[in-house]
Amino acid sequence: MQEFGLKSEKRSLADMNITAAKAYWNLCPAELVEHALANGEGLLADNGAIMCDTGQFTGRSPKDRFIVKDELTESTVWWGDINIPFSPEQFDALHRKMLDYLKDKTIYVRDAYAGAHADYRLNLRVINTKAWQNLFCYNMFLRPNREELAQFEPNFTIICIPEFEADPAVDGTRQKNFAILNLSKRMILIGGTGYAGEMKKGIFSVLNYMLPHERGILSMHCSANMGEAGDTAVFFGLSGTGKTTLSADPNRKLIGDDEHGWAPDGVFNFEGGCYAKVINITRESEPQIWDAIKFGAILENVRCFEGTRTPDYTNKSVTENTRTAYPIYHIENALEPSIGGHPKNIFFLTADAFGVLPPISKLTPGQAMYHFISGYTAKVAGTEVGITEPQATFSACFGAAFLPLHPTKYAELLGENMRKHQVNVWLVNTGWTGGPYGVGSRMKLAYTRAMLSAALEGKLENVEYKTHPVFGVAVPQSCPGVPAEVLNPRDTWSDKEAYDAQAQKLAQLFIQNFAKYEEFANDEIMSGAPVVEAASK
């Protein structure tokens, strides 16, 4: 086997039973771009980014993501539709087949960290057959320096071979593509899919198991930033709630945009980069992301304007899930190392298309845990015939797809940290006011920013609060830069009885969704539930 680049003196590929025709170790972005272009893996856009396609799969395939069920995981993993069991024997057989496949191939080896906090990080070794995917790992994970690379000892491995397809009848997979986590052998196998996000989210799932279960550290699917005074803020929210937009603040340092841990000494980013959607992006709408798309960045499934190398971000002919991956140092106000103190404020962002929830409200620890487990937002009415009402969406802990443990485990850690560090938790509705979607209007971004600023600056500490009659949350009655009538959602509706009925309807949806968690939820969590009138039960 021919080997090139800066390789570890501590653990070789032979030690991992890996052989290949050629192995390129820890190449820099320029080298990886050269290899990717020479291999025909993509083309160079005029902004400097390399454009690559992910093939058949333009997103994760949740039903083809498995966890090996063995002595370690049998009684600890939350098994079900999200965490699908896979046998140790079939994992080992598939692993052998993948190693055999690599013997005459060229591979790219990347040693990297997951976790900016040295006490809680994973030492990753990633084996790729695509140069651009190795660049993706350079961008998304944390980058050891040359001295650290020479002495690097991995404690978790990813083998990612997009062109290797499983035989479901023999290998135990559902389809030809797969992503399988083995927590005992500390390894992830990925094949049959070119979607690079499987590597990122695979490691996130691993950290979501190891940190809470083994170390008592809360792992979070959130963004985080830090103010000039050193105050940390954390933002949770599903797609469309404004998480990226609201956490990208030119007056605050970005800690990270997606995955974090909460250690005894503060919040730390799991990643070394950002993986952002670019559909319809403009410099005006997302200036930080726009400027980060330059040489070293990757554009996935994007197309150019005809006859040019200029990306056309409005083109969704391949997918609406077009993305960019870039290292965090492409963001001008990024904090490095990506570590902050304990958060003073946590924001749960929801785009409530029912028009019920207040634009900002303060939560008790019990309510915070309840809403954290619920992970609520609402999508606007669909285009199908007959669907005229908002559609409620619930995703536990604002990231159910990546939780190997039961959601109450993460919620209890959140509650403990809230009490210990006296954190304010705010529920922020970036959705509709004055009525539901189709009747009311979307909350003005300027108002939402003013409310967040007021919370961050302590300007909501000494104002009057009223308790919401259904959801029990504390609603501030005044806020700088926001008209008082906007703060109480019922007041913005012309038909007050219609509001009351809508609030009961939404509360009922919360109750129905939470039924599957009640068995494991303690009394404090259940105290955060909304109040449903007896007549509507």
Side-chain angles (χ1 to χ4, degrees), residues 223-235 246-257 260 265-269 288 333-345 347 456:
S223 58
N225 63 26
M226 179 190 288
E228 291 180 5
D231 58 302
T232 297
V234 168
F235 302 79
L246 292 169
S247 62
D249 186 335
N251 298 315
R252 297 174 66 85
K253 294 280 190 182
L254 180 69
I255 298 172
D257 77 329
H260 294 82
D265 54 356
V267 169
F268 64 99
N269 192 356
Q288 289 187 321
N333 66 332
L335 188 67
E336 290 196 82
S338 304
I339 300 173
H342 295 294
K344 290 187 176 181
N345 293 281
F347 298 96
L456 290 167

Side-chain angles (χ1 to χ4, degrees), residues 248-528:
D249 186 335
N251 298 315
R252 297 174 66 85
K253 294 280 190 182
L254 180 69
I255 298 172
D257 77 329
D258 198 39
E259 303 172 5
H260 294 82
W262 191 347
D265 54 356
V267 169
F268 64 99
N269 192 356
F270 289 165
E271 301 183 293
C274 303
Y275 193 37
K277 290 183 179 180
V278 294
I279 192 71
N280 296 323
I281 189 175
T282 64
R283 176 171 263 131
E284 292 69 34
S285 66
E286 300 286 357
Q288 289 187 321
I289 296 173
W290 181 278
D291 290 341
I293 305 172
K294 54 189 178 182
F295 185 81
I298 298 165
L299 286 170
E300 283 185 352
N301 300 313
V302 174
R303 290 293 177 265
C304 290
F305 289 104
E306 190 172 351
T308 76
R309 288 293 181 92
T310 303
D312 175 7
Y313 296 118
T314 66
N315 187 320
K316 46 187 166 185
S317 60
V318 180
T319 177
E320 287 200 12
N321 190 36
T322 51
R323 287 185 176 264
T324 181
Y326 51 83
I328 198 166
Y329 59 75
H330 279 199
I331 297 286
E332 187 176 341
N333 66 332
L335 188 67
E336 290 196 82
S338 304
I339 300 173
H342 295 294
K344 290 187 176 181
N345 293 281
I346 294 174
F347 298 96
F348 294 164
L349 305 175
T350 179
D352 177 24
F354 290 88
V356 167
L357 294 177
I360 188 166
S361 55
K362 197 172 184 180
L363 308 183
T364 65
Q367 290 167 344
M369 289 187 281
Y370 185 92
H371 281 271
F372 185 58
I373 292 173
S374 298
Y376 164 73
T377 194
K379 296 179 179 177
V380 298
T383 54
E384 300 101 288
V385 175
I387 297 181
T388 58
E389 296 182 338
Q391 304 294 304
T393 299
F394 296 93
S395 181
C397 308
F398 300 95
F402 319 115
L403 304 182
L405 306 174
H406 194 277
T408 51
K409 173 68 174 177
Y410 307 95
E412 287 167 1
L413 284 172
L414 176 72
E416 289 173 20
N417 284 346
M418 273 187 69
R419 283 186 290 270
K420 188 173 183 180
H421 303 293
Q422 298 181 316
V423 185
N424 296 317
V425 178
W426 308 89
L427 182 63
V428 176
N429 176 17
T430 63
W432 274 256
T433 181
Y437 172 78
V439 177
S441 58
R442 189 82 191 249
M443 187 67 62
K444 290 182 179 179
L445 180 59
Y447 290 166
T448 301
R449 287 197 183 279
M451 288 182 273
L452 261 61
S453 295
L456 290 167
E457 294 166 12
K459 293 178 179 177
L460 297 182
E461 287 181 7
N462 298 312
V463 302
E464 179 190 356
Y465 283 83
K466 286 186 178 179
T467 300
H468 191 278
V470 177
F471 283 86
V473 295
V475 183
Q477 296 303 291
S478 62
C479 176
V482 183
E485 60 268 20
V486 172
L487 296 170
N488 296 291
R490 191 174 188 269
D491 293 346
T492 67
W493 284 51
S494 58
D495 186 340
K496 311 302 184 197
E497 290 186 2
Y499 174 84
D500 295 338
Q502 188 84 321
Q504 284 295 317
K505 179 179 179 179
L506 181 58
Q508 187 67 56
L509 292 173
F510 268 83
I511 298 292
Q512 291 170 357
N513 170 72
F514 209 88
K516 57 182 172 285
Y517 307 120
E518 284 185 13
E519 180 185 351
F520 300 94
N522 60 34
D523 290 343
E524 184 178 23
I525 294 173
M526 293 310 301
S527 73

